[in-house]
Amino acid sequence: MTATTADTMVGSDPRGRGAATRARRAAVRTLVTLARSAAIFVPVFLVATFLTFALRAISGLSPAQIQLGENATPEAVARVEHEWGLDRPFLAQYWTWFENILHGDLGTSWSNNADIDELIGNGLAVSLSVAVLALVIGIVGGFGLGTLAALRRTTWVDRGITGFTTFMAVTPPFVVGIVLVAIFAVGLGWLPAAGYVPAAAGAWPWLSHILLPALALSFDTIADVARQLRAGLIAAYRENYVIGAKVRGLSPRRIFFRHVLRNGAGPALAVLGLKFPTLIGGAVVTEWIFGLQGFGRFANDSAQAGDVPGVQGVLVVSIVLVVTFNLIVNVLLARVTPAS
C-alpha cells in the first residue's frame, strides 16, 4: 500500500472527518464567545469607569479635608486641590485618570500619598488566595455532592445531601468562620486563628492561614453548585440520547462522563460566574474575623477615610476581576457544553 493510498484512506475515514469537524466547531464557538464577551466588556468597562470616577464629584470629598482638616482656609483648600489637579474640568480629569488606568496606574492615596496599585496589590494577594481556595473547595465539594445526589436520587443519600446543602446555603460566612475558629484553632489547635503568611514562606504556612477563611466562604458555593449540578444531571438522565446509549449497551460510567455530565454541568458552571463576586465581597467580613489585611479591608478603610482614589481603585480592580472570571466561565461553557 502506497503512502498516497494510506493518506486517502485516512482522509476518507468518517471518524477522522467527524473529529475534525467537532474540533472546528468547538474552536468557532470559543472564538464567538470571546468576541461576544469582548463586545460586552468594552462598553461596560467604559461606563463603569466613568461612574467610578464621578464618585468624587458626587461625594464632594477633597484631599484637603483629609490633609488639612475641617478648619482649613479656602486658600489652603484651593492650593491642595490644584496640586492634585482637581481644579481642572471634569472630563479632562477623567481622561487623564482613564489613560493612567490603561497603563496600570491607579493613582495616589489621599491619606498617605502611597501608590494605590501597590496598596491594592498587597491586599489582593491575600484576598485572591482566600477566594481562589474557597472557589476550589466549592467546585470540588459542590460537584462531589451534586453528583452523588443525582446518582442516588430519591434515596436517603439524596435527601441527606439536599438537607445539608440547604443548611450550608442559609448559614452566614461570619457564623461559619467563628465556629471554625472555635473548633479548629482554639479547641483543637490544628490551625492558626488569624493572620496571613505569604506563599513564599512555604506552602503549608500559607495554606494553614487561609484554609479556615476559605472554608467559611466556600459553604454557599458548595451548596449552589451541588443543587444546580444535581438538577442538571437528573434532567440529562431523562433525555432520549441517554436512553439510546443505554439501549446500545454503553457502560454507565461512559454514559455519565460522555453524555450526562457534559450536558448537565452547564447550570453549575454558569452559577460560578455569579459566585466569584460574592467571594470577593464576602471577604470583607471574613477578613475582619481572621485578622487579614486583604482587599476587602483596604476597601473598607478607604471608604471610611474618605480616600476616593482608593475606593476608585478598588472598584476598577473589582470590575476587571469579575469580567475576567466571567469570561473564563463563558469559555468553559462553550468548550464543555454541546452546541444547541
Side-chain angles (χ1 to χ4, degrees):
M1 183 183 295
T2 64
T4 303
T5 305
D7 292 341
T8 302
M9 293 180 64
V10 172
S12 61
D13 183 9
R15 292 185 179 180
R17 291 200 305 270
T21 301
R22 288 193 296 270
R24 285 196 297 270
R25 288 177 178 174
V28 170
R29 291 178 64 201
T30 302
L31 291 176
V32 170
T33 301
L34 288 172
R36 288 177 178 174
S37 300
I40 295 174
F41 170 76
V42 173
V44 166
F45 185 73
L46 290 174
V47 172
T49 52
F50 183 82
L51 294 177
T52 297
F53 185 78
L55 281 176
R56 195 202 73 81
I58 295 173
S59 65
L61 295 173
S62 168
Q65 297 173 336
I66 298 176
Q67 298 177 8
L68 303 178
E70 297 180 356
N71 298 324
T73 63
E75 293 78 11
V77 171
R79 175 178 54 80
V80 171
E81 291 189 347
H82 176 72
E83 292 175 355
W84 287 87
L86 301 180
D87 54 350
R88 301 166 58 207
F90 174 79
L91 291 179
Q93 295 181 50
Y94 168 71
W95 183 247
T96 301
W97 178 77
F98 185 75
E99 282 186 323
N100 291 336
I101 285 178
L102 295 181
H103 290 87
D105 182 5
L106 297 177
T108 305
S109 171
W110 286 354
S111 301
N112 52 22
N113 290 324
D115 291 337
I116 297 297
D117 49 349
E118 182 178 350
L119 296 174
I120 289 180
N122 294 334
L124 199 59
V126 179
S127 295
L128 282 182
S129 296
V130 175
V132 170
L133 181 57
L135 191 65
V136 171
I137 295 173
I139 293 173
V140 174
F143 267 76
L145 292 176
T147 300
L148 183 59
L151 294 176
R152 298 291 186 268
R153 55 189 178 278
T154 70
T155 66
W156 66 268
V157 175
D158 182 20
R159 291 191 292 270
I161 291 176
T162 301
F164 181 60
T165 53
T166 301
F167 169 77
M168 297 177 77
V170 300
T171 307
F174 72 90
V175 174
V176 179
I178 293 173
V179 173
L180 291 176
V181 169
I183 296 175
F184 294 101
V186 179
L188 299 175
W190 290 353
L191 296 169
Y196 176 78
V197 173
W204 173 244
W206 168 75
L207 183 61
S208 64
H209 282 80
I210 65 173
L211 185 56
L212 290 183
L215 282 172
L217 281 177
S218 68
F219 269 39
D220 189 55
T221 303
I222 293 174
D224 278 358
V225 170
R227 288 183 296 187
Q228 293 294 334
L229 184 64
R230 175 190 178 276
L233 295 180
I234 291 177
Y237 266 117
R238 295 170 179 167
E239 296 293 338
N240 291 331
Y241 53 80
V242 175
I243 299 175
K246 292 179 180 178
V247 172
R248 292 197 304 270
L250 297 181
S251 65
R253 180 185 296 273
R254 185 175 181 183
I255 291 174
F256 177 77
F257 285 104
R258 188 175 180 86
H259 299 286
V260 176
L261 183 60
R262 187 179 179 188
N263 288 273
L269 290 176
V271 81
L272 291 177
L274 303 175
K275 285 302 169 186
F276 188 72
T278 304
L279 294 176
I280 295 294
V284 178
V285 177
T286 307
E287 288 170 6
W288 276 102
I289 295 174
F290 291 95
L292 301 174
Q293 294 293 331
F295 186 67
R297 286 285 293 274
F298 174 76
N300 179 74
D301 294 344
S302 297
Q304 290 191 351
D307 191 352
V308 174
V311 176
Q312 290 172 336
V314 166
L315 292 177
V316 170
V317 172
S318 299
I319 293 167
V320 173
L321 287 175
V322 171
V323 172
T324 302
F325 185 78
N326 277 274
L327 173 62
I328 295 173
V329 171
N330 289 336
V331 171
L332 286 175
L333 283 171
R335 296 289 298 179
V336 173
T337 58
S340 56

